Amino acid sequence: QVQLVESGGGLVQAGGSLRLSCAASGLTFSRYAMGWFRQAPGKAREFVAHITQSGNSIYSEDFVKGRFTISRDNAKNTVYLQMNSLTPEDTAVYYCAATAGLYYSRSLPTGAYDYWGQGTQVTVSS
């Protein structure tokens, strides 16, 4: 079965960096676009970034532009989220997701994705 396993979360001070990874198995990774979402306590899950199947196109929400970068390594079946200049407002559970669809935009809804990981906690202290 399909599994997406996130790692790399943790506690970091404001201004610090983290690199999240999401390892995929049970699917042909290169045929799936990948996304990162986050969910803070009491809030809805929100789109962070999306990368197409080839990795040639990426889309990020305004609030992370210039700070977060999504990338993928199809040889390793892994997608990454490099997060720099973190603020307490970035505190959330971060989820990776996979979609077989062809999407070329940001702000994608959760329903656009077929598979989800269990999430990894990111906590940014002030």
XYZ file of all heavy atoms in Angstrom, residues 10-108:
762
model
N 10.574 19.265 14.494
C 11.177 19.437 15.812
C 10.950 20.818 16.352
O 10.116 21.566 15.847
N 11.715 21.125 17.390
C 11.637 22.428 18.046
C 12.816 23.277 17.586
O 13.970 22.825 17.636
C 11.669 22.244 19.565
C 11.745 23.509 20.416
C 10.492 24.350 20.223
C 11.936 23.136 21.895
N 12.522 24.498 17.166
C 13.573 25.400 16.696
C 13.250 26.813 17.160
O 12.076 27.155 17.348
C 13.688 25.325 15.152
C 12.419 25.821 14.488
C 14.910 26.064 14.651
N 14.269 27.619 17.349
C 14.050 29.008 17.734
C 13.670 29.848 16.511
O 14.019 29.509 15.369
C 15.310 29.575 18.378
C 15.581 29.041 19.773
C 16.717 29.771 20.464
O 17.643 30.264 19.818
N 16.660 29.851 21.785
N 12.990 30.931 16.766
C 12.634 31.846 15.687
C 13.893 32.278 14.940
O 14.932 32.547 15.547
C 11.908 33.060 16.249
N 13.775 32.313 13.618
C 14.920 32.634 12.779
C 15.706 31.433 12.329
O 16.575 31.541 11.451
N 15.400 30.280 12.917
C 16.126 29.063 12.576
C 15.572 28.370 11.338
O 14.669 28.880 10.664
N 16.144 27.205 11.061
C 15.787 26.452 9.861
C 15.524 24.984 10.196
O 16.069 24.456 11.167
C 16.935 26.516 8.835
O 17.174 27.838 8.421
N 14.707 24.367 9.378
C 14.471 22.932 9.415
C 14.306 22.441 7.988
O 13.839 23.179 7.114
C 13.209 22.581 10.204
C 13.245 22.665 11.732
C 11.849 22.444 12.290
C 14.221 21.669 12.322
N 14.647 21.185 7.788
C 14.415 20.551 6.495
C 13.546 19.328 6.708
O 13.965 18.368 7.357
C 15.728 20.138 5.841
C 15.552 19.629 4.414
C 16.805 18.922 3.945
N 16.852 18.734 2.507
C 17.610 17.819 1.912
N 18.387 17.023 2.632
N 17.600 17.717 0.592
N 12.341 19.376 6.185
C 11.429 18.247 6.269
C 11.643 17.330 5.073
O 11.927 17.790 3.961
C 9.987 18.712 6.297
C 9.601 19.730 7.374
C 8.108 20.011 7.311
C 10.016 19.258 8.752
N 11.492 16.048 5.319
C 11.560 15.049 4.257
C 10.289 14.225 4.268
O 9.658 14.049 5.317
C 12.764 14.118 4.452
O 13.981 14.823 4.427
N 9.933 13.708 3.123
C 8.775 12.818 3.007
C 9.168 11.692 2.069
O 9.377 11.923 0.866
C 7.573 13.572 2.483
S 6.161 12.526 2.067
N 9.288 10.503 2.624
C 9.665 9.334 1.842
C 8.417 8.586 1.408
O 7.568 8.257 2.239
C 10.564 8.429 2.669
N 8.324 8.325 0.120
C 7.148 7.663 -0.441
C 7.468 6.229 -0.834
O 8.572 5.929 -1.290
C 6.651 8.426 -1.662
N 6.491 5.364 -0.638
C 6.622 3.977 -1.078
C 5.260 3.477 -1.514
O 4.222 4.034 -1.156
C 7.185 3.100 0.042
O 6.329 3.117 1.162
N 5.273 2.400 -2.331
C 4.017 1.817 -2.782
C 3.383 2.517 -3.961
O 2.238 2.214 -4.311
N 4.095 3.455 -4.557
C 3.590 4.138 -5.740
C 4.760 4.456 -6.665
O 5.923 4.412 -6.246
C 2.832 5.419 -5.368
C 3.470 6.464 -4.434
C 4.600 7.218 -5.091
C 2.406 7.419 -3.921
N 4.439 4.745 -7.910
C 5.463 5.173 -8.868
C 5.657 6.661 -8.654
O 4.906 7.491 -9.180
C 5.033 4.851 -10.304
O 4.754 3.449 -10.410
C 6.158 5.220 -11.276
N 6.676 6.985 -7.884
C 6.819 8.337 -7.355
C 6.858 9.383 -8.458
O 6.261 10.447 -8.317
C 8.103 8.398 -6.513
C 8.310 9.697 -5.806
C 7.500 10.060 -4.738
C 9.331 10.556 -6.180
C 7.700 11.256 -4.061
C 9.541 11.751 -5.519
C 8.720 12.101 -4.451
N 7.535 9.092 -9.543
C 7.690 10.090 -10.605
C 6.383 10.427 -11.303
O 6.312 11.403 -12.057
C 8.711 9.603 -11.633
O 8.265 8.391 -12.236
N 5.340 9.659 -11.070
C 4.034 9.925 -11.662
C 3.131 10.748 -10.750
O 1.985 11.034 -11.105
C 3.335 8.611 -12.012
C 4.042 7.814 -13.105
C 3.298 6.537 -13.446
N 3.978 5.774 -14.489
C 3.560 4.589 -14.928
N 2.474 4.033 -14.428
N 4.230 3.967 -15.876
N 3.643 11.107 -9.603
C 2.842 11.848 -8.625
C 3.451 13.209 -8.342
O 4.643 13.324 -8.045
C 2.717 11.073 -7.318
C 1.733 9.935 -7.409
C 2.092 8.738 -8.003
C 0.436 10.080 -6.925
C 1.185 7.695 -8.113
C -0.476 9.047 -7.026
C -0.094 7.863 -7.626
O -0.999 6.840 -7.729
N 2.613 14.222 -8.416
C 2.991 15.523 -7.902
C 2.881 15.471 -6.386
O 2.101 14.693 -5.831
C 2.080 16.603 -8.464
N 3.658 16.298 -5.734
C 3.713 16.265 -4.266
C 3.419 17.639 -3.678
O 3.752 18.667 -4.271
C 5.095 15.801 -3.814
C 5.504 14.433 -4.331
S 4.437 13.106 -3.738
C 4.798 13.137 -1.984
N 2.822 17.625 -2.525
C 2.529 18.876 -1.852
C 2.842 18.813 -0.381
O 2.959 17.727 0.210
N 3.025 19.987 0.195
C 3.147 20.130 1.647
C 2.001 21.016 2.138
O 1.704 22.050 1.530
C 4.476 20.774 2.031
C 5.653 19.859 1.925
C 6.542 19.779 0.900
C 6.090 18.906 2.902
N 7.499 18.826 1.162
C 7.246 18.275 2.391
C 5.622 18.513 4.159
C 7.932 17.277 3.081
C 6.297 17.530 4.849
C 7.446 16.916 4.313
N 1.380 20.586 3.214
C 0.341 21.332 3.897
C 0.751 21.463 5.354
O 1.626 20.752 5.830
C -0.992 20.584 3.819
C -1.672 20.673 2.481
C -1.170 19.986 1.393
C -2.817 21.440 2.318
C -1.793 20.059 0.149
C -3.449 21.512 1.084
C -2.940 20.824 0.007
N 0.052 22.337 6.062
C 0.268 22.433 7.506
C -1.052 22.712 8.207
O -1.982 23.264 7.617
C 1.305 23.501 7.832
C 0.845 24.922 7.583
C 2.010 25.880 7.839
N 1.589 27.275 7.753
C 2.416 28.307 7.877
N 3.731 28.095 8.078
N 1.967 29.531 7.804
N -1.085 22.324 9.470
C -2.285 22.545 10.278
C -1.878 22.952 11.673
O -1.250 22.173 12.397
C -3.151 21.290 10.301
C -4.499 21.498 10.953
C -5.449 20.335 10.681
O -5.035 19.256 10.275
N -6.734 20.575 10.886
N -2.240 24.166 12.019
C -1.995 24.678 13.362
C -3.181 24.322 14.250
O -4.292 24.097 13.752
C -1.792 26.186 13.317
N -2.982 24.286 15.568
C -4.088 23.946 16.474
C -5.293 24.852 16.272
O -5.162 26.073 16.215
C -3.466 24.150 17.861
C -2.010 23.949 17.654
C -1.712 24.491 16.293
N -6.450 24.233 16.110
C -7.678 24.992 15.965
C -7.904 25.610 14.604
O -8.869 26.350 14.402
N -7.020 25.318 13.665
C -7.142 25.890 12.333
C -7.283 24.793 11.282
O -6.948 23.633 11.518
C -5.936 26.777 12.019
C -5.830 27.996 12.905
C -4.718 28.922 12.432
C -4.655 30.181 13.267
N -3.586 31.111 12.800
N -7.766 25.196 10.115
C -7.889 24.253 9.011
C -6.517 23.945 8.417
O -5.577 24.733 8.546
C -8.803 24.825 7.935
N -6.431 22.805 7.774
C -5.199 22.448 7.086
C -5.027 23.392 5.885
O -5.976 23.621 5.130
C -5.273 20.993 6.626
C -3.955 20.414 6.174
C -4.043 18.910 5.987
N -4.372 18.219 7.230
C -4.333 16.904 7.394
N -3.973 16.131 6.364
N -4.656 16.350 8.541
N -3.826 23.928 5.723
C -3.617 24.895 4.654
C -2.462 24.506 3.741
O -1.474 23.894 4.175
C -3.362 26.306 5.235
C -2.118 26.447 6.066
C -1.911 27.872 6.570
O -2.661 28.787 6.172
O -0.962 28.077 7.364
N -2.602 24.888 2.502
C -1.597 24.613 1.480
C -0.332 25.400 1.768
O -0.386 26.577 2.142
C -2.173 25.020 0.127
C -1.211 24.939 -1.023
C -1.080 23.768 -1.746
C -0.452 26.034 -1.399
C -0.197 23.692 -2.822
C 0.429 25.981 -2.467
C 0.556 24.804 -3.176
N 0.810 24.741 1.555
C 2.101 25.413 1.712
C 2.819 25.483 0.357
O 3.190 26.558 -0.092
C 2.986 24.683 2.733
C 4.383 25.305 2.776
C 2.345 24.702 4.118
N 3.005 24.330 -0.282
C 3.760 24.312 -1.535
C 3.440 23.047 -2.316
O 2.987 22.052 -1.753
C 5.258 24.395 -1.264
N 3.714 23.115 -3.620
C 3.405 22.007 -4.525
C 4.505 21.908 -5.560
O 5.024 22.937 -6.013
C 2.072 22.298 -5.220
C 1.679 21.317 -6.274
N 1.005 20.165 -5.992
C 1.846 21.337 -7.633
C 0.775 19.498 -7.121
N 1.269 20.189 -8.131
N 4.852 20.676 -5.921
C 5.854 20.461 -6.957
C 5.325 19.425 -7.928
O 4.752 18.408 -7.522
C 7.206 20.036 -6.333
C 8.306 19.952 -7.398
C 7.090 18.730 -5.555
C 9.712 19.867 -6.804
N 5.478 19.696 -9.207
C 4.940 18.804 -10.225
C 5.749 17.514 -10.343
O 6.797 17.363 -9.727
C 4.899 19.521 -11.579
O 6.225 20.003 -11.890
C 3.935 20.681 -11.554
N 5.229 16.612 -11.142
C 5.827 15.279 -11.232
C 7.303 15.322 -11.620
O 8.122 14.594 -11.072
C 5.054 14.436 -12.258
C 3.726 13.879 -11.773
C 2.568 14.851 -11.821
O 2.742 16.053 -11.966
N 1.355 14.321 -11.696
N 7.625 16.172 -12.573
C 9.003 16.258 -13.047
C 9.891 17.098 -12.135
O 11.117 17.028 -12.212
C 9.026 16.874 -14.437
O 8.571 18.209 -14.376
N 9.244 17.906 -11.308
C 9.997 18.841 -10.472
C 10.307 20.143 -11.170
O 10.956 21.017 -10.595
N 9.835 20.289 -12.406
C 10.153 21.493 -13.162
C 9.349 22.708 -12.737
O 9.739 23.845 -13.031
C 9.926 21.248 -14.658
C 10.981 20.328 -15.248
O 12.062 20.176 -14.682
N 10.666 19.699 -16.359
N 8.218 22.471 -12.078
C 7.381 23.598 -11.659
C 7.061 23.477 -10.182
O 6.717 22.387 -9.707
C 6.080 23.629 -12.465
O 6.343 23.821 -13.840
N 7.171 24.592 -9.487
C 6.825 24.623 -8.076
C 5.930 25.826 -7.812
O 5.996 26.834 -8.515
C 8.070 24.676 -7.166
C 8.901 25.930 -7.443
C 8.916 23.417 -7.346
C 10.061 26.101 -6.467
N 5.092 25.674 -6.801
C 4.148 26.715 -6.442
C 4.131 26.810 -4.922
O 4.027 25.789 -4.243
C 2.749 26.377 -6.970
C 2.752 26.164 -8.458
C 2.998 24.896 -8.978
C 2.566 27.224 -9.335
C 3.043 24.695 -10.350
C 2.604 27.021 -10.706
C 2.846 25.760 -11.205
O 2.896 25.566 -12.564
N 4.218 28.019 -4.419
C 4.241 28.219 -2.974
C 3.252 29.299 -2.587
O 3.018 30.252 -3.325
C 5.640 28.647 -2.519
O 6.600 27.685 -2.865
N 2.686 29.134 -1.404
C 1.769 30.137 -0.885
C 2.550 31.396 -0.544
O 3.739 31.345 -0.228
C 1.043 29.588 0.340
C -0.328 30.182 0.566
C -1.257 29.968 -0.607
O -1.209 30.792 -1.550
O -2.031 29.017 -0.599
N 1.866 32.520 -0.599
C 2.558 33.795 -0.389
C 3.291 33.862 0.947
O 4.376 34.441 1.027
C 1.561 34.954 -0.487
C 1.234 35.307 -1.927
O 1.974 34.860 -2.826
O 0.244 36.035 -2.141
N 2.708 33.275 1.964
C 3.288 33.448 3.293
C 4.611 32.698 3.482
O 5.294 32.884 4.465
C 2.304 33.074 4.402
C 1.780 31.668 4.337
C 2.562 30.581 4.701
C 0.482 31.420 3.930
C 2.077 29.291 4.651
C -0.026 30.132 3.873
C 0.778 29.065 4.240
N 4.981 31.855 2.513
C 6.253 31.153 2.645
C 7.246 31.503 1.545
O 8.391 31.054 1.582
C 6.074 29.624 2.686
C 5.174 29.239 3.841
C 5.550 29.077 1.363
N 6.822 32.309 0.602
C 7.719 32.656 -0.494
C 8.958 33.374 0.028
O 8.873 34.266 0.856
C 6.989 33.526 -1.512
C 6.084 32.713 -2.427
C 5.452 33.573 -3.502
C 4.590 32.730 -4.428
N 3.946 33.537 -5.484
N 10.096 32.937 -0.472
C 11.361 33.500 -0.034
C 11.900 32.864 1.221
O 13.042 33.114 1.599
N 11.083 32.029 1.880
C 11.540 31.365 3.101
C 11.563 29.850 2.960
O 12.479 29.190 3.458
C 10.639 31.744 4.280
C 10.598 33.226 4.583
C 9.885 33.502 5.904
N 8.509 32.989 5.902
C 8.015 32.177 6.845
N 8.763 31.784 7.841
N 6.746 31.781 6.784
N 10.544 29.272 2.341
C 10.431 27.814 2.211
C 10.670 27.425 0.745
O 10.226 28.128 -0.177
C 9.041 27.322 2.593
C 8.669 27.491 4.038
C 9.464 28.175 4.933
C 7.479 26.946 4.513
C 9.105 28.317 6.264
C 7.098 27.080 5.835
C 7.916 27.778 6.710
N 11.315 26.283 0.563
C 11.556 25.771 -0.779
C 11.197 24.297 -0.838
O 11.713 23.507 -0.035
C 13.022 25.961 -1.186
O 13.380 27.345 -1.109
C 13.241 25.469 -2.619
N 10.357 23.946 -1.789
C 10.010 22.542 -2.003
C 10.904 21.987 -3.111
O 11.222 22.676 -4.084
C 8.515 22.390 -2.362
C 8.118 20.917 -2.408
C 8.179 23.104 -3.660
C 6.605 20.700 -2.542
N 11.321 20.742 -2.943
C 12.129 20.072 -3.958
C 11.855 18.580 -3.888
O 11.230 18.104 -2.936
C 13.618 20.362 -3.767
O 14.072 19.857 -2.528
N 12.334 17.861 -4.885
C 12.110 16.410 -4.884
C 13.305 15.708 -5.522
O 14.011 16.273 -6.355
C 10.826 16.039 -5.617
C 10.821 16.330 -7.105
C 9.428 16.118 -7.691
N 9.024 14.713 -7.642
C 7.745 14.316 -7.705
N 6.774 15.206 -7.802
N 7.469 13.026 -7.676
N 13.466 14.465 -5.109
C 14.481 13.600 -5.695
C 13.770 12.329 -6.132
O 13.457 11.467 -5.282
C 15.579 13.299 -4.675
C 16.740 12.516 -5.266
O 16.551 11.850 -6.291
O 17.828 12.567 -4.688
N 13.492 12.210 -7.394
C 12.723 11.066 -7.879
C 13.512 9.761 -7.758
O 12.919 8.689 -7.678
C 12.279 11.297 -9.311
C 11.106 12.259 -9.407
O 10.546 12.674 -8.379
N 10.742 12.649 -10.615
N 14.820 9.848 -7.743
C 15.628 8.633 -7.557
C 15.518 8.100 -6.137
O 15.714 6.902 -5.901
C 17.087 8.923 -7.898
N 15.189 8.983 -5.191
C 15.073 8.575 -3.787
C 13.626 8.525 -3.324
O 13.368 8.286 -2.143
C 15.867 9.542 -2.895
C 17.364 9.505 -3.138
C 18.089 10.442 -2.176
C 19.596 10.364 -2.389
N 20.330 11.273 -1.464
N 12.696 8.777 -4.226
C 11.267 8.774 -3.867
C 10.982 9.685 -2.668
O 10.223 9.321 -1.758
C 10.786 7.346 -3.545
C 10.695 6.468 -4.784
O 11.019 6.897 -5.881
N 10.265 5.238 -4.598
N 11.589 10.841 -2.687
C 11.508 11.732 -1.533
C 11.241 13.168 -1.980
O 11.806 13.631 -2.977
C 12.806 11.672 -0.711
O 13.026 10.321 -0.284
C 12.715 12.569 0.514
N 10.388 13.836 -1.230
C 10.152 15.260 -1.408
C 10.604 15.971 -0.145
O 10.510 15.421 0.954
C 8.663 15.544 -1.727
C 7.750 15.128 -0.585
C 8.458 17.006 -2.086
N 11.102 17.189 -0.319
C 11.662 17.949 0.793
C 10.962 19.291 0.921
O 10.412 19.820 -0.035
C 13.159 18.203 0.554
C 13.965 16.949 0.316
C 14.262 16.523 -0.979
C 14.431 16.190 1.382
C 15.001 15.371 -1.212
C 15.178 15.037 1.160
C 15.451 14.630 -0.138
O 16.184 13.490 -0.354
N 11.048 19.842 2.122
C 10.635 21.211 2.356
C 11.710 21.864 3.212
O 11.822 21.564 4.398
C 9.273 21.286 3.040
C 8.711 22.699 3.193
C 8.347 23.276 1.819
C 7.476 22.715 4.104
N 12.495 22.718 2.591
C 13.503 23.486 3.314
C 12.838 24.734 3.866
O 12.272 25.525 3.097
C 14.657 23.865 2.388
C 15.715 24.724 3.041
C 16.483 23.989 4.129
O 16.887 22.850 3.951
N 16.692 24.646 5.263
N 12.903 24.910 5.171
C 12.234 26.027 5.825
C 13.276 26.891 6.520
O 13.982 26.418 7.425
C 11.207 25.513 6.836
C 10.191 24.552 6.232
S 8.853 24.133 7.374
C 9.773 23.286 8.649
N 13.365 28.137 6.106
C 14.298 29.093 6.691
C 13.543 30.257 7.314
O 12.352 30.455 7.041
C 15.253 29.621 5.618
C 16.073 28.525 4.967
O 16.454 27.548 5.613
N 16.367 28.684 3.688
N 14.220 31.010 8.139
C 13.629 32.202 8.772
C 12.294 31.877 9.422
O 11.309 32.588 9.245
C 13.459 33.317 7.739
O 14.696 33.650 7.142
N 12.272 30.821 10.178
C 11.024 30.375 10.796
C 10.549 31.360 11.864
O 11.359 31.999 12.554
C 11.215 28.992 11.404
C 11.275 27.847 10.374
C 11.925 26.617 10.988
C 9.890 27.526 9.871
N 9.249 31.481 11.975
C 8.617 32.326 12.980
C 7.648 31.470 13.802
O 7.254 30.384 13.371
C 7.841 33.478 12.337
O 6.645 32.954 11.742
C 8.668 34.186 11.267
N 7.242 31.951 14.972
C 6.269 31.186 15.766
C 4.977 30.891 15.005
O 4.313 29.880 15.291
C 6.025 32.093 16.970
C 7.316 32.841 17.124
C 7.782 33.095 15.725
N 4.635 31.734 14.047
C 3.421 31.508 13.257
C 3.542 30.290 12.331
O 2.542 29.828 11.778
C 3.101 32.753 12.423
C 2.594 33.953 13.222
C 3.671 34.579 14.096
O 4.855 34.602 13.670
O 3.340 35.025 15.227
N 4.737 29.782 12.159
C 4.938 28.577 11.356
C 4.720 27.293 12.159
O 4.790 26.196 11.598
C 6.346 28.570 10.761
C 6.580 29.700 9.776
O 5.688 29.947 8.937
O 7.652 30.328 9.850
N 4.469 27.429 13.447
C 4.228 26.265 14.280
C 2.970 25.527 13.824
O 1.899 26.116 13.715
C 4.078 26.683 15.753
O 5.329 27.215 16.208
C 3.680 25.501 16.628
N 3.125 24.252 13.528
C 2.018 23.451 12.998
C 2.493 22.019 12.807
O 3.701 21.735 12.892
C 1.535 24.015 11.665
N 1.540 21.151 12.525
C 1.875 19.828 12.017
C 1.959 19.950 10.498
O 1.043 20.480 9.868
C 0.828 18.781 12.409
C 1.187 17.420 11.812
C 0.720 18.679 13.933
N 3.048 19.462 9.948
C 3.272 19.554 8.511
C 3.031 18.185 7.875
O 3.559 17.171 8.345
C 4.690 20.035 8.227
C 4.830 21.531 8.438
C 4.815 22.070 9.723
C 4.958 22.397 7.362
C 4.918 23.432 9.925
C 5.072 23.766 7.552
C 5.050 24.277 8.838
O 5.153 25.636 9.029
N 2.253 18.195 6.800
C 1.876 16.970 6.114
C 2.368 17.003 4.663
O 2.272 18.037 4.001
C 0.362 16.819 6.068
C -0.306 16.713 7.408
C -0.730 17.853 8.090
C -0.537 15.472 7.988
C -1.353 17.758 9.318
C -1.174 15.360 9.221
C -1.574 16.515 9.881
O -2.191 16.410 11.095
N 2.835 15.875 4.180
C 3.065 15.764 2.753
C 1.918 14.975 2.135
O 1.229 14.211 2.818
C 4.408 15.118 2.431
S 4.528 13.366 2.776
N 1.712 15.204 0.854
C 0.607 14.576 0.144
C 1.006 14.326 -1.299
O 1.859 15.039 -1.838
C -0.628 15.469 0.206
N 0.369 13.329 -1.902
C 0.672 12.956 -3.279
C -0.590 12.979 -4.121
O -1.662 12.571 -3.654
C 1.288 11.555 -3.316
N -0.443 13.446 -5.352
C -1.560 13.459 -6.282
C -1.112 12.999 -7.659
O -0.055 13.395 -8.134
C -2.206 14.845 -6.387
O -3.235 14.821 -7.387
C -1.192 15.919 -6.770
N -1.964 12.193 -8.302
C -1.687 11.773 -9.673
C -2.160 12.825 -10.666
O -1.923 12.702 -11.873
C -2.362 10.444 -9.959
N -2.821 13.850 -10.181
C -3.347 14.886 -11.045
C -2.279 15.812 -11.591
O -1.154 15.855 -11.083
N -2.663 16.538 -12.618
C -1.780 17.522 -13.228
C -2.250 18.904 -12.795
O -3.230 19.432 -13.303
C -1.806 17.389 -14.753
C -1.359 16.037 -15.302
C -1.504 16.005 -16.815
C 0.072 15.730 -14.904
N -1.554 19.457 -11.819
C -1.919 20.746 -11.257
C -0.750 21.707 -11.423
O 0.399 21.358 -11.122
C -2.277 20.616 -9.778
C -3.487 19.743 -9.533
C -3.338 18.447 -9.052
C -4.772 20.213 -9.774
C -4.439 17.643 -8.818
C -5.879 19.413 -9.544
C -5.706 18.128 -9.075
O -6.803 17.326 -8.851
N -1.087 22.904 -11.867
C -0.055 23.919 -12.112
C -0.471 25.224 -11.465
O -0.634 26.255 -12.118
C 0.160 24.095 -13.613
C 0.591 22.827 -14.290
C -0.339 21.993 -14.897
C 1.931 22.434 -14.296
C 0.055 20.810 -15.507
C 2.328 21.262 -14.898
C 1.382 20.448 -15.505
O 1.779 19.275 -16.103
N -0.663 25.169 -10.143
C -1.068 26.371 -9.434
C -0.773 26.198 -7.954
O -0.420 25.125 -7.489
C -2.559 26.648 -9.637
O -3.333 25.655 -9.005
N -0.922 27.294 -7.222
C -0.805 27.228 -5.773
C -2.216 27.169 -5.174
O -3.205 27.087 -5.900
C -0.060 28.448 -5.258
C -0.741 29.751 -5.627
C -0.006 30.927 -5.052
N -0.690 32.180 -5.396
C -0.433 33.335 -4.828
N 0.493 33.416 -3.904
N -1.080 34.426 -5.191
N -2.252 27.190 -3.855
C -3.529 27.197 -3.122
C -4.417 26.016 -3.498
O -5.633 26.158 -3.567
C -4.289 28.513 -3.371
O -3.505 29.617 -2.998
N -3.813 24.870 -3.726
C -4.601 23.695 -4.060
C -5.361 23.203 -2.839
O -4.856 23.262 -1.719
C -3.685 22.590 -4.595
C -3.025 22.917 -5.933
C -1.971 21.865 -6.257
C -4.061 22.994 -7.043
